[in-house]
Amino acid sequence: DSLTTHLRPWKVPDRVCKVEDYGAVGDGTTMNTAAIQKAIDACSSRGGGVVLFEKGDYLTGTFQIKSGVMIEVAEFARILGSTDIRDYPPMVEEFKSVMSENYAFCQSLIYAEKADCVGIRGRGEIYFRGEKVHFSSPETTGPIKDRPLGIRMIECTRVVLQDIFLHNSASWMQSYIACKDLIFEGIRVENQANYNNDGLDPDGCTNVIVRNCFINAEDDAMCIKGASGLTSQNILIENSTFVSTCNAFKLGPDTQGDFKNILVRNCILGGVPYSMVSIEGHQASTGITVATVDGGDVSDIVLQNITINQARCPVFV
């Protein structure tokens, strides 16, 4: 009740910065990284607003979202990730944790660190082009080499993702570490392209709403982690569908931090419907997994009105 009442999207200023005005070309072949970053920097420095991708296919490497910036991908626009790993320079966060030191995740198409009021919205698509033909390093439970994540945000506040279609990252689609006040509303994730294709991974985050979302993931679909060493707390997940060939909804296994005050309700979990793309079959390993492998405390977790389909093990604790 508290999250529903008090956690609302931040008000985006009326300012609109079209990426074309900063040199971007939506022809699918022009590399637009510098132009996109220039638009973001200018928008943030002026007090924030919308950085608009209006129409076309915008090819880019890594860009960093700054405070006050809402990335908007309009209905007839796509952001296309580069298929050249050299276009993903390492972005090493200041916040040290198992994620930075053991997993050493430092490459992604979209990055933000210590930013306030940031987001991505729109009826368009971000196509990361992470298929194995482009990024072919092997599956791993440790560092992921030469396969960039989709979105990484570290120590950010007031984060909003709304309506956007996120398509085929080379590894995890979304990682949010030590962030506060996050809203995911109506997003669609299709991440069936490669190994380690998680859907949504908040880690050590406080005050989170995931609502009316759909995730189809090769690896864990909706996965709350604790590798940051911080408590993951005050999380509401509702009216959503998470399907996977691994675990549809999961706490852990990285549990250096604690987990508490998490409510999951009115959700469909399990394997990938036969009508949808899946690169590893259509059964899920589990519908629900709660696994405190590293010793973090798990308490005050409620899952209610859950349907589980096509899972070899519906519930694993």
Side-chain angles (χ1 to χ4, degrees), residues 41 51 60 123 144 156 182 189 200 221 226 230 247 258:
D41 294 347
V51 170
T60 182
R123 298 292 180 179
I144 297 176
C156 292
L182 302 97
V189 176
L200 172 55
L230 302 176
N247 306 288
D258 297 338

Side-chain angles (χ1 to χ4, degrees), residues 143-269:
I144 297 176
K145 181 176 174 55
D146 294 335
R147 286 192 287 116
L149 277 66
I151 300 168
R152 295 176 65 230
M153 295 194 183
I154 319 293
E155 292 189 286
C156 292
T157 55
R158 292 189 284 181
V159 176
V160 173
L161 271 79
Q162 230 168 9
D163 300 325
I164 195 72
F165 174 30
L166 305 176
H167 186 198
N168 281 3
S169 171
S171 55
W172 292 14
M173 179 61 78
Q174 304 173 79
S175 176
Y176 303 88
I177 299 173
C179 295
K180 293 182 179 179
D181 300 336
L182 302 97
I183 299 175
F184 304 89
E185 176 78 42
I187 70 169
R188 177 183 165 199
V189 176
E190 294 275 359
N191 208 21
Q192 289 278 356
N194 216 315
Y195 300 117
N196 305 103
N197 267 175
D198 282 25
L200 172 55
D201 295 71
D203 186 323
C205 294
T206 296
N207 302 336
V208 182
I209 293 176
V210 180
R211 179 182 290 135
N212 301 325
C213 294
F214 177 88
I215 297 175
N216 173 15
E218 177 270 341
D219 207 331
D220 300 333
M222 177 71 239
C223 185
I224 304 173
K225 290 183 174 290
S228 63
L230 302 176
T231 300
S232 298
Q233 61 186 335
N234 305 341
I235 299 172
L236 170 64
I237 301 170
E238 62 181 358
N239 307 328
S240 295
T241 297
F242 308 126
V243 297
S244 167
T245 51
C246 194
N247 306 288
F249 172 79
K250 186 178 187 180
L251 295 184
D254 298 287
T255 49
Q256 287 81 4
D258 297 338
F259 301 78
K260 66 180 182 181
N261 299 340
I262 298 171
L263 171 60
V264 184
R265 64 186 179 189
N266 308 328
C267 289
I268 298 172
L269 310 176

Side-chain angles (χ1 to χ4, degrees), residues 268-282:
I268 298 172
L269 310 176
V272 181
Y274 288 97
S275 60
M276 300 192 67
V277 172
S278 174
I279 61 174
E280 296 289 344
H282 290 270

Side-chain angles (χ1 to χ4, degrees), residues 89-132:
M91 309 288 280
V92 180
E93 65 266 33
E94 184 177 316
F95 182 83
K96 301 305 178 188
S97 69
V98 168
M99 293 297 293
S100 61
E101 304 307 291
N102 289 24
Y103 291 114
F105 292 169
C106 62
Q107 290 174 290
S108 60
L109 183 66
I110 300 171
Y111 183 72
E113 183 177 4
K114 295 185 177 180
D116 179 51
C117 294
V118 293
I120 304 169
R121 72 184 186 190
R123 298 292 180 179
E125 174 185 353
I126 303 178
Y127 178 23
F128 298 86
R129 301 203 296 176
E131 292 83 1
K132 293 177 184 178

